[in-house]
Amino acid sequence: MIKRLRNRFIRIAMLSVTAVMLLLTLILNGANFLSTNADLNEMLTRIAENHGTLPAPADEPSPAPADGDETPPEPKNAAPLRPNERRNDPFGPEAAFSTRFFVLRCDAGGALLSAELDHIAAVTEDSAADYLAAALRHGEGYGFIGDYKFLVTADGEGYMAVFLDCYQEMRALRLVLGWSLAADAACILLVLLLVLLLSRRAIDPVVRSAEQQKQFITDASHELKTPITCIKARAEVLYDGLVRDETERRDYCRAILKESDLLEDMVMDILELSRLQSGRASITKIVTHADGVFPSAVDRYAMLCGDLGIELDTSGLDLESLPPLYTDEDRIRDLLGILLDNAVKFVGRGGKIWLTCARRGNRAVFCVRDNGPGIAKADQSRIFDRFYKADTSHNSRGSGLGLAIADEIVRNLGEKLWVESETGSGAAFYFTVSIA
C-alpha cells in the first residue's frame, strides 16, 4: 500500500508540475508570437499605405516649400541619438538596410503586372509569380508563406501584395520556444529527482496516520471485546436459569451493569478522542480566573479520595495568586479530572496526591503528583498512546484512553503536557495554561 501511495503521489506531483510548466511556456511563447506578429503587421501596413515603398525616416527633412510660399518648412529632425542607442521606430534611418521585402502587383485576374524586387535578393521574377499565386489563394489580408509574411490589398482595379522577409523574427521565436521547452524538460527532470528523494518523507505523515488508524481499530476491538464477552457470558448464565440463588443472581446483574458502564465509558472516550484528533471538538477560549475553574473539579475528587482513604493535598494550589488565564474552562476541567482520576487509580488506599501551581513566564504551570508506583523510563514515551497500559496490575478499570485524551486536549489548546517520574517514586504530570 505504501509503495502504491508513493507512486501515486509522484505521478500527481509530476503531472501537476508538467502542466504548470507547459502552461507557462504556452503563455510566454504565445505572448512573444503575438507581439512579433503585431510588429510585422504594422510594418506591412505602413509599406502598403506608402504604395509599396518604405516610409521616410522621422529625421529626414520635409519637402521644400512650394513656389511663392515664403514660410520655411518645419524641420522634422529628431533629437540626436546617444551612443549605442536605437530608435523604437522600425522605419528609422536603418530601415532601408535591415528590412527585406518585395512588392507584387497584378490585375483583377491575377496576372502579374510588376515585381519590385529592389529590397530582396532571394526572390527572382520567375519565383515571384508563385508567391503571388499563393497569396491570392489566401485572399485579402495577412498571411504566411514559409518565412515570409504578406499582406494583400486592393490596388485600383487589381491587387498589391507586399511580402516581408521575417526569417530572423521566426528564427528568434523558434529559438525561444526551443530553449523554453529545454528549460521545461530540465526543470521537470530536476523536480522528478527531488520528488523521488523527498516523496517518502512527504507521505510519511499519511502512512503514520493510516498505521495509527489501523492500530486504533485493532486496539479498540480488543478492548471492547473484553466487557462484551463478560456481559454475554453472565447474561447466558442468567438466561439458562443456572443461577437460582437470588443473592447470586443480583451479583451477576451487578457485574453486567459494571461491565456495561465500562463499555459505555470506553465508547464515549473513543468518540471524544476522535473528535479531538479530527479537529471537530469545540474549543472556546475565554479570559477567566483560576479560582473559577479548578475548585469544582478538585472538590469532586476530594470527596472520592476521602471515600477511598487517599489524602488530597491542595496546600500548594494557590489559585488567587495567579493572574487571569486565557483558556477553555470546560476542557481544563476535563484535563484536570483525567489526571486526578489517573492518580487515584494508581495510589490506592493510604496514598497521597498533591496539587500545585506556579507562574512561569507567560504561562501558569499546574502539577498533579502522587506517591504511587511511578512510571518506568521505557514507558514514559508511550503513556499518552491510545490504550497503552504500563502497569496492568493497577488498571482493572478504565479505558486506557484517558491520557491520550488529555494529550489531545492540550494539543488543541496549544499548551504543553509532560510527565516526570521514576519507578517507586510516584509520578508528576505537568500542564500549562496561557496567561491572558
Side-chain angles (χ1 to χ4, degrees), residues 341-373:
D341 184 73
N342 190 70
V344 168
K345 187 189 307 180
F346 280 92
V347 295
R349 182 172 295 276
K352 186 174 182 179
I353 300 172
W354 292 266
L355 291 177
T356 60
C357 66
R359 176 173 181 174
R360 293 183 185 175
N362 61 347
R363 279 180 164 80
V365 179
F366 294 84
C367 176
V368 178
R369 183 167 62 89
D370 62 64
N371 63 350

Side-chain angles (χ1 to χ4, degrees), residues 192-203:
L192 176 60
L193 293 176
L194 291 175
V195 169
L196 289 174
L197 291 174
L198 301 178
S199 59
R200 187 176 299 278
R201 182 179 300 178
I203 66 171

Side-chain angles (χ1 to χ4, degrees), residues 286-298 317-327 329 332-333 336 356-358 364-366 431 433-436:
I286 61 171
V287 177
T288 184
H289 293 275
D291 54 5
V293 178
F294 291 90
S296 58
V298 173
L317 194 66
D318 187 7
L319 300 176
E320 295 182 357
S321 66
L322 294 177
L325 306 177
Y326 181 65
T327 189
E329 293 182 341
I332 287 298
R333 291 192 189 98
L336 181 61
T356 60
C357 66
V365 179
F366 294 84
F431 64 92
V433 179
S434 298
I435 293 175

Side-chain angles (χ1 to χ4, degrees), residues 61-77:
S62 300
D67 293 341
D69 188 355
E70 298 180 357
T71 304
E74 290 292 335
K76 294 184 179 180
N77 293 340

Side-chain angles (χ1 to χ4, degrees), residues 40-41 43-49 51-54 91 98-106 110 112 114-125 127-153 159-167 169:
L40 295 174
N41 288 348
M43 189 173 295
L44 284 169
T45 300
R46 294 179 66 173
I47 293 174
E49 289 175 348
H51 307 292
T53 61
L54 287 171
F91 298 101
S98 60
T99 306
R100 294 181 294 278
F101 71 98
F102 62 98
V103 181
L104 305 178
R105 287 182 171 85
C106 66
L112 180 63
S114 65
E116 300 172 14
L117 308 177
D118 296 338
H119 296 279
I120 195 77
V123 180
T124 63
E125 290 189 7
S127 60
D130 296 332
Y131 284 106
L132 177 62
L136 292 177
R137 283 195 299 270
H138 178 275
E140 290 189 46
Y142 301 98
F144 281 96
I145 299 176
D147 288 327
Y148 292 98
K149 176 100 189 220
F150 65 84
L151 171 62
V152 177
T153 59
Y159 296 97
M160 178 178 66
V162 182
F163 292 82
L164 182 65
D165 183 358
C166 53
Y167 169 78
E169 289 80 359

